[in-house]
Structures are given as C-alpha cells and as structure tokens.
Amino acid sequence: MKMLDENLEFDVKAVRKFLKEKLVSSPPNKHYEAFVELLSLLKRTVSSGESDSALIVGPRGCGKSSLLDSVLKELSNSEGNEYLLVKLNGLVQTDDNLALRAIIQQLHVKELEGDQITGSFSDNLMFVLQSLKTCDRQNTVPIIFILDEFQLFCNHKNQTLLYNLFDISKSAQAPMCVIGVTTRYDITELLEKRVSSRFSHRQILLMPNYDLNERMSLISYYFLLKKKSPALRKVSQEFIKKWDENTETLLNSSKVMGYFRKQLDMEPSLKALKNVLCSRSILLMEKLNILKISQH
C-alpha cells in the first residue's frame, strides 16, 4: 500500500470514528407494526392517564430492547409527554425486597430510602405511588415500569411484585403501564391465576429475520457514508463517493454475501452481527477501501 498523504490519513481517521459510533447505535427499527402498537399503548398512559400492561416476547437478539429504546426515545421527544421510568431486571432484582428498593431509588422517594422500609410489600408500593400523586389524577405523573427478564420475576415468592403492579394497572389506581420483556413464549403459563387475571394478556411478538437482502441492507446502513454527520463534515466528498462505491461493490460480491448468509443462518441476532462487524469487517473494509482509493 502506498504511503497515505495527510489529507487521506485525516479522512481515514474521521471515517473510522464515524463507523465505530454508528455500530454502537441502534439501526432503523424494522418492527414497524410493533413500534406503532407499543408507542400507542404508552402514549395513552402518558397523555391520557390510562393504565395498561403488555409483554414483548421474542428470542434473544431479535430486537426487543432496540424496539423499546426507540419507542421510549420517540415518546420523550414528543412535546408535553412527562413521565417517570422505572427499569427492573430479573437478573439483578432477584427478590421483591430488592425490586422495591430499586423502585424507591429510581422514583426518589426519600421517606423510604435507606433502612426505613417496614411493613408489607403491597403497603410500601402503594405508599410510593401515593407519594407521587397530586390532588388531581390527571396531573399525576404517569409511571412506566420496564421488567426485563420478566420470566425470572415469576420465580419470586407468591409473585407479589407482579400481582401488585398488574393489580394497580388494572384497577387504574394510578396512571401506570407495566411492560415485560421476555424470551419465553409460554410466559403466561408461568403466571399464578390471581396474577394472570389482572394481566391484560396483550403480547407483542417479535421474530428473528432470516432475509438475506434485509441483512445486507442493514450492513450497508452501517458501512455506507451517505448519511450526513458532523463527524464527516471535514471529510472530502471525493473520498466519501469512492468509499461508498467500493463498499457497495464489496457487499454485492458473492463471497461477502455467502459469508453473511452463513452467519445469518447460524445466529440471526443483531448483537451477533455487530460482533462480527466490529471484530472483523470494519478492518477489512477499511483496508480494501483505502487501497482502492489511494490507487486513484
């Protein structure tokens, strides 16, 4: 490879930084119907004070967290949407006491911080919600509960946490929406009868995508520089043009498509794809593109 001149070296460093930032970002959401359904559900809670519950179900890596993040981002960007967010994880909050402490910390209820928690779980949870209420229910700030690894909360004694959250959301005692995230398609069978009767039984199902064309479109999204970015404002347009031309040629080659076909068949998750792109493809793409560009 020829020695890179200063301008080319600057362009390479800027593009490398841009690609790395792009790879850690969320891609355009492919689950459009699920996005609309979940956003509509949360908007009713935040804007109208309606209480509800739902489960996002799908295998690992199918985009459950990405879907949830994009919906919450859209919700936050909408004017006048004020709400409180509580995130719990079944791997971390392994019993109801730990879950209650996490709720208290995230909602900043000073009266129950530290070792001041006494009484039953139900009483303390109701005290937390009551402390956030105003005299006018319409002006009470809505709360969105996110329960990741939802299936693990089913192992808690008597499923007290789930019972109380679903009970409050069903009885509309406070504007609240409970969203569970799980990989278990049989999740409702794990719920106790009293818990199941208070759950809305709304499920948003996500399935892995084995379409190679969509996978290659996603890879193109990560590697092409067409999208305007502050990180590329000083990069020469000629460099960007040649980079994109060379990248499209590489991605359309039978060897590259064959490689990603095998990778897709083995592991269709976005996380697995990003691991491959970060560990191998970004260096290979960079070397091949720089070689071709420097030869012009």
Side-chain angles (χ1 to χ4, degrees):
M1 184 184 295
K2 298 178 180 179
M3 290 293 292
L4 302 180
D5 60 37
E6 290 185 2
N7 290 336
L8 182 55
E9 187 175 358
F10 173 84
D11 289 343
V12 170
K13 288 181 178 179
V15 167
R16 183 185 296 137
K17 180 181 178 182
F18 174 72
L19 292 179
K20 288 180 178 178
E21 290 177 351
K22 210 173 184 185
L23 279 168
V24 299
S25 66
S26 297
N29 202 291
K30 297 295 183 181
H31 302 291
Y32 180 73
E33 291 183 2
F35 176 89
V36 172
E37 182 179 357
L38 184 57
L39 180 61
S40 176
L41 177 69
L42 295 182
K43 274 188 173 182
R44 290 198 297 272
T45 297
V46 173
S47 303
S48 307
E50 296 182 16
S51 295
D52 212 330
S53 57
L55 289 172
I56 303 174
V57 185
R60 297 194 185 280
C62 69
K64 299 186 297 296
S65 297
S66 177
L67 168 67
L68 195 51
D69 290 342
S70 60
V71 168
L72 291 174
K73 183 177 180 180
E74 178 67 24
L75 193 66
S76 298
N77 290 338
S78 301
E79 293 185 10
N81 283 344
E82 183 183 1
Y83 64 92
L84 297 172
L85 181 64
V86 176
K87 291 185 175 182
L88 304 177
N89 190 303
L91 294 171
V92 180
Q93 285 79 40
T94 53
D95 60 48
D96 286 348
N97 286 330
L98 291 174
L100 181 60
R101 289 182 183 276
I103 293 171
I104 290 169
Q105 288 177 346
Q106 294 182 50
L107 294 180
H108 305 292
V109 182
K110 295 181 179 179
E111 292 86 349
L112 292 177
E113 288 182 347
D115 299 323
Q116 302 180 53
I117 301 177
T118 59
S120 69
F121 179 88
S122 302
D123 291 341
N124 282 302
L125 183 59
M126 284 308 301
F127 178 83
V128 170
L129 298 176
Q130 289 289 342
S131 68
L132 298 172
K133 281 188 176 182
T134 64
C135 57
D136 181 2
R137 185 179 185 281
Q138 291 299 320
N139 292 326
T140 300
V141 180
I143 307 174
I144 297 174
F145 282 87
I146 307 296
L147 277 63
D148 205 357
E149 301 293 344
F150 181 87
Q151 70 279 1
L152 298 180
F153 289 102
C154 297
N155 298 331
H156 290 200
K157 185 178 179 181
N158 299 325
Q159 298 186 356
T160 305
L161 171 68
L162 300 181
Y163 172 79
N164 281 277
L165 290 179
F166 286 149
D167 185 56
I168 294 170
S169 65
K170 184 176 182 180
S171 59
Q173 298 176 47
M176 186 174 84
C177 190
V178 182
I179 303 295
V181 182
T182 182
T183 58
R184 294 285 298 266
Y185 288 97
D186 62 343
I187 187 63
T188 54
E189 296 178 15
L190 303 182
L191 299 177
E192 292 184 0
K193 187 175 181 180
R194 64 177 190 143
V195 178
S196 180
S197 65
R198 285 160 175 78
F199 173 49
S200 69
H201 288 271
R202 182 196 302 273
Q203 294 190 44
I204 299 174
L205 301 178
L206 303 185
M207 299 299 293
N209 193 335
Y210 289 93
D211 188 294
L212 180 60
N213 290 330
E214 288 196 18
R215 175 55 60 100
M216 297 309 297
S217 295
L218 182 58
I219 296 170
S220 296
Y221 163 79
Y222 281 122
F223 279 125
L224 294 179
L225 308 180
K226 293 176 181 178
K227 182 181 177 183
K228 293 183 179 179
S229 167
L232 300 177
R233 65 181 182 276
K234 294 183 179 180
V235 177
S236 70
Q237 291 302 307
E238 184 65 21
F239 181 93
I240 292 176
K241 180 182 177 182
K242 289 180 179 178
W243 176 282
D244 284 348
E245 288 175 352
N246 295 336
T247 297
E248 288 179 342
T249 300
L250 285 169
L251 294 182
N252 288 327
S253 69
S254 57
K255 286 186 177 181
V256 172
M257 293 186 71
Y259 172 82
F260 284 111
R261 172 77 270 176
K262 291 179 181 179
Q263 191 272 332
L264 179 62
D265 290 339
M266 289 189 294
E267 179 53 80
S269 73
L270 176 62
K271 183 178 180 180
L273 174 63
K274 283 190 173 185
N275 287 339
V276 170
L277 297 182
C278 287
S279 63
R280 301 177 186 178
S281 302
I282 192 168
L283 273 176
L284 178 62
M285 194 74 70
E286 183 180 293
K287 287 180 181 178
L288 291 174
N289 269 340
I290 293 171
L291 178 62
K292 290 185 179 181
I293 292 172
S294 61
Q295 289 174 345
H296 282 75

